Amino acid sequence: MTLAPRVVLVHRRTEYQELLAHHGTPGQAAYFLSSRGRSVEEIELRHRRQELALAEAAGAVPLDWRRTRVERADLSRFLFEPEDVVVVVGQDGLVANVAKYLAGQPVIGVDAEPGRNPGVLVRHRAEHLARLLPAAVGPGADRRAEERTMVEAVADDTQRLLALNEVYVGQPGHQTARYRLAVEDRPGGADEGEPQASSGVLVGTGTGGTGWCRSVWLERGGPLALPEPTAPALAWFVREAWPSPATGTGRVHGLLDAGRRLVLTVESDRLVAFGDGVEGDALDLARGQTVRLGVAATRLRLLG
């Protein structure tokens, strides 16, 4: 028997919920905010908007489908199923948070606060889900999906990390990172590389080209064309490379197509690699280890 599709509603705790968890009661939360010149009313309003969007999203699920909810903090422990349709209710960044845990399941982004978010990845309103959900699994669903490129980092001890926007490699304390940077055109075909000391390396997708990578790109006057979100290509940037007798600055940015990898060999005691700004879920890299970064085989299937 074929299982009915399951809708997974992904959300994160609101600021109001975080305040209640920390301060215990609404009154104490309101007092804390007022002591810092803020009003609890605006935060309560944003909380109610998200709760309403979640309720509308749940109500749009067909009666014969399965459904469940998961908070962002629990994503690393949640088991997604092949039949899932993932509905992300919240901000654009929440889509990036969930993307690395998926394996081709369709994703629908719902903007809980229209006008507050850019809406690059959360493009829909909750009231649209009654139409979008059947289309996500019906005939032609693949044609309606926008397959966005993801970046992966693979260490030589088999640790692996996926990200939708970018992967950062650097010191966990954001001090100077030391490594050797090389480009690999084929497995085992890396060039000699360049020893570097910097604030770390960013490797980003076209989706990430609207965020952290774009800020570095703008600082440098747009030295290369950033890839499109669906293009099988990545842009990479070395942050604040430092010239010295032992380290160079000859390679500070570039592009990677699907057949190329950026190879970093650790020359610090310890470096980390984390994706989409989530430092708590990182690869831990010791001196002498190598990490390869490139276009991932996994792609985000975002329903437009």
Side-chain angles (χ1 to χ4, degrees), residues 53-140:
L54 278 168
E56 285 190 80
V61 179
L63 294 177
D64 57 343
W65 286 24
R66 297 172 296 148
R67 73 191 72 189
T68 189
R69 286 172 57 159
V70 58
E71 284 190 359
R72 186 181 76 160
D74 298 322
L75 284 171
S76 62
R77 299 182 294 274
F78 185 81
L79 183 62
F80 286 95
E81 299 176 358
E83 301 84 7
D84 287 343
V85 178
V86 181
V87 177
V88 177
V89 181
Q91 302 169 330
D92 290 306
L94 190 54
V95 176
N97 294 153
V98 74
K100 65 180 179 179
Y101 299 108
L102 303 179
Q105 293 92 337
V107 176
I108 302 173
V110 173
D111 191 348
E113 296 184 85
R116 187 179 181 89
N117 300 311
V120 175
L121 301 174
V122 287
R123 303 170 172 175
H124 303 286
R125 306 291 184 264
E127 59 264 27
H128 300 158
L129 283 175
R131 168 180 54 84
L132 292 170
L133 287 173
V137 298

Side-chain angles (χ1 to χ4, degrees), residues 135-150:
V137 298
D142 290 340
R143 294 193 301 272
R144 287 187 286 271
E146 180 181 287
E147 295 204 345
R148 294 207 165 206
T149 298
M150 298 184 70

Side-chain angles (χ1 to χ4, degrees), residues 28-282:
Q28 288 175 318
Y31 175 78
F32 169 79
L33 290 170
S34 66
S35 69
R36 283 156 175 77
R38 298 183 64 192
S39 170
V40 74
E41 284 76 15
E42 184 260 340
I43 294 174
E44 285 181 320
L45 176 61
R46 292 180 56 202
H47 169 73
R48 288 196 295 270
R49 284 174 177 167
Q50 175 161 307
E51 290 298 294
L52 178 60
L54 278 168
E56 285 190 80
V61 179
L63 294 177
D64 57 343
W65 286 24
R66 297 172 296 148
R67 73 191 72 189
T68 189
R69 286 172 57 159
V70 58
E71 284 190 359
R72 186 181 76 160
D74 298 322
L75 284 171
S76 62
R77 299 182 294 274
F78 185 81
L79 183 62
F80 286 95
E81 299 176 358
E83 301 84 7
D84 287 343
V85 178
V86 181
V87 177
V88 177
V89 181
Q91 302 169 330
D92 290 306
L94 190 54
V95 176
N97 294 153
V98 74
K100 65 180 179 179
Y101 299 108
L102 303 179
Q105 293 92 337
V107 176
I108 302 173
V110 173
D111 191 348
E113 296 184 85
R116 187 179 181 89
N117 300 311
V120 175
L121 301 174
V122 287
R123 303 170 172 175
H124 303 286
R125 306 291 184 264
E127 59 264 27
H128 300 158
L129 283 175
R131 168 180 54 84
L132 292 170
L133 287 173
V137 298
D142 290 340
R143 294 193 301 272
R144 287 187 286 271
E146 180 181 287
E147 295 204 345
R148 294 207 165 206
T149 298
M150 298 184 70
V151 54
E152 71 172 357
V154 182
D156 54 9
D157 62 358
T158 72
Q159 293 183 85
R160 180 173 179 262
L161 178 72
L162 280 174
L164 178 63
N165 289 322
E166 73 282 312
V167 169
Y168 168 81
V169 183
Q171 277 277 358
H174 299 281
Q175 298 169 323
T176 300
R178 296 183 181 274
Y179 52 86
R180 179 175 290 273
L181 182 149
V183 176
E184 185 178 75
D185 291 313
R186 63 188 185 283
D191 55 36
E192 183 180 349
E194 178 181 66
Q196 293 187 343
S198 75
S199 298
V201 180
L202 281 175
V203 182
T205 65
T207 301
T210 63
W212 195 1
C213 281
R214 187 169 188 84
S215 68
V216 179
W217 179 80
L218 287 170
E219 279 184 356
R220 299 188 184 174
L224 47 80
L226 295 176
E228 294 296 320
T230 58
L234 307 171
W236 60 270
F237 301 92
V238 177
R239 300 173 64 232
E240 301 168 324
W242 177 254
S244 77
T247 57
T249 59
R251 294 182 168 186
V252 293
H253 55 252
L255 293 172
L256 300 170
D257 59 28
R260 306 177 81 202
R261 294 287 186 270
L262 196 67
V263 183
L264 272 67
T265 302
V266 180
E267 295 184 350
S268 296
D269 288 337
R270 178 185 177 225
L271 295 181
V272 295
F274 59 83
D276 297 332
V278 183
E279 297 185 51
D281 184 9

